[in-house]
Structures are given as structure tokens and as C-alpha cells.
Amino acid sequence: MNTNVLRNLSYGVYVISTLDGDRATGCVANSVMQITSSPVTVALSMNHDNFTNGCIRKTGRFAVSILSVDSDPSLIGTFGFQSGKDVDKFASVPYERKEGLPVIPDSCGYMVFKVVGETETSSHTIFLGELIDGDVFGSAEAMTYAYYHKVVKGKSPKNAPTYIPEEETPAAETRTVWKCTVCGYEYDGEIPFEELPEDYKCPICGQPKSVFSKTEK
Ligand code: FE
């Protein structure tokens, strides 16, 4: 079996948000798809280990902010590479409330859903959500998962449903790269990494230059 075939499936990059009591919280997901139009229903796949999973169960609602190619890529680091259990992710991110849930204006638009069904898998809950509100924020193109990997050069955290371990990646010729040890971002700027200013920060997760390590790949 060659699981690389799965790389041909298409996904977006979304911030899934809900409430932890009164506090706004959320995480990044790439598996959201519309499955019916009347009523509008989507399926969302969310790892059991994501703090947001339990919060969606409690509130019975979730919102989806659709990231665009113009969205600040640090949103992916803020929401994708740390836990809402430990961090107030919305503390540093401008947001609006729609139907009581936080949504991110720096996106293509938002949708708010009420949970109408749930199915368990060994690692993920599939939430079925019926649309109760939504609007478009701008005309920027939606960020696809492929764009995130190829252009933003981001990686997937291990609890993403689409995560593929590194050893399954086809071998390419060896080269030296500076890689963020927090989010996996690989630096590929014109200036050699060593010559970047000391206040350089990872564009994905915002961590300092010191968390980068030199690796051969
Ligand atoms: Fe990073």
C-alpha cells in the first residue's frame, strides 16, 4: 500500500473555534467538508486530544474561520501548535463574536454550526454541524492545505488527520535546512539563516531564532 496517494486529496486550512465556559478557544483543522445543502451540513474531523474537541461537546456549537492566502500565517502557529488548555490563544488575535462564538476577520469568512451528530473513530471525533450563521469577509482566495505546505512551507502537527510521518516522505537529495523545532517550518529565505538578525521570529509560530535547528534532509 502506498499512502502517498492520500496527498492528492484536497483540504483547506481552518480555525475551528468555540467556547470554554465564557472563554474563546480554538484550533486549526484541515478536514471540514460540506456534506448536504438542505439544510447546510458539514462534517468536521477533530482529534480526541484537542482541547477544542471537549469544548465543542460541551457547547454543542463550533465556528469555522476559513483562512485565506493573505491571512497572517502566524494564526496557524497560534492555533495549530499549542493547546487551548495551556494558552489563551485568542488573547493576541483580533476576533469578533458571531452567535456568541469567536471568529477571525483576517480570513475569507466564517460559518457557525450547531452540532447535530457525532461519530467516533479510534483517534478523531467526526462532528456533523448544521449551519446557523455565516458571512464572507473578503475576496482573498482560500488557503488550501497544499498551498500551506508548498508556499508557506508549514508542517502538520501529529494529531492532524492528514499527518504523514516523515519516513513515508519520498527521499530527495540531501540538503541542509534550518527548521523550527516547534512547528516544523523550514527557513528558505535569500539571506543565510546564520546572518538573520537575532530578533528573527518563526513566521508560522512566532518562536525566536534560537528554537531553529540545523538538519540534513
Ligand atoms: Fe515555528
Side-chain angles (χ1 to χ4, degrees):
M1 180 165 70
N2 183 358
T3 54
N4 284 325
V5 68
L6 295 166
R7 292 175 182 268
N8 296 297
L9 291 170
S10 299
Y11 301 91
V13 182
Y14 311 105
V15 172
I16 310 302
S17 52
T18 189
L19 297 173
D20 169 30
D22 293 329
R23 187 179 70 116
T25 193
C27 64
V28 170
N30 48 56
S31 299
V32 176
M33 65 181 291
Q34 183 177 354
I35 51 171
T36 66
S37 58
S38 183
V40 173
T41 308
V42 299
L44 157 69
S45 177
M46 170 79 56
N47 194 286
H48 294 155
D49 294 339
N50 278 31
F51 180 68
T52 305
N53 187 319
C55 296
I56 293 174
R57 285 169 191 279
K58 280 184 210 143
T59 59
R61 289 193 303 162
F62 63 91
V64 176
S65 298
I66 304 169
L67 296 190
S68 79
V69 294
D70 293 340
S71 295
D72 184 340
S74 74
L75 286 169
I76 299 167
T78 301
F79 286 94
F81 290 92
Q82 47 186 359
S83 174
K85 202 163 31 204
D86 315 317
V87 178
D88 187 358
K89 297 182 183 181
F90 276 100
S92 59
V93 174
Y95 67 97
E96 296 175 10
R97 293 229 185 208
K98 300 290 181 185
E99 299 291 320
L101 299 192
V103 302
I104 298 173
D106 183 13
S107 70
C108 295
Y110 74 92
M111 300 170 287
V112 180
F113 299 94
K114 67 172 179 193
V115 176
V116 294
E118 282 176 39
T119 300
E120 288 305 324
T121 71
S122 57
S123 57
H124 288 68
T125 306
I126 314 301
F127 290 104
L128 298 182
E130 201 174 291
L131 187 69
I132 53 176
D133 188 29
D135 202 358
V136 173
F137 280 137
S139 56
E141 198 181 323
M143 185 188 293
T144 62
Y145 196 55
Y147 180 94
Y148 170 62
H149 281 278
K150 285 185 193 147
V151 183
V152 187
K153 301 210 182 299
K155 300 291 177 207
S156 309
K158 285 206 166 94
N159 56 3
T162 49
Y163 174 74
I164 298 174
E166 293 253 329
E167 54 271 24
E168 291 181 35
T169 306
E173 58 187 75
T174 303
R175 61 192 177 96
T176 303
V177 292
W178 282 90
K179 191 170 176 177
C180 174
T181 55
V182 175
C183 74
Y185 169 77
E186 289 172 12
Y187 176 75
D188 72 341
E190 305 258 302
I191 303 167
F193 186 83
E194 292 88 338
E195 291 170 26
L196 289 171
E198 285 314 306
D199 61 357
Y200 171 81
K201 287 188 170 54
C202 173
I204 303 293
C205 72
Q207 294 296 309
K209 193 178 172 185
S210 58
V211 307
F212 279 76
S213 74
K214 198 175 184 177
T215 51
E216 299 289 328
K217 64 174 294 197

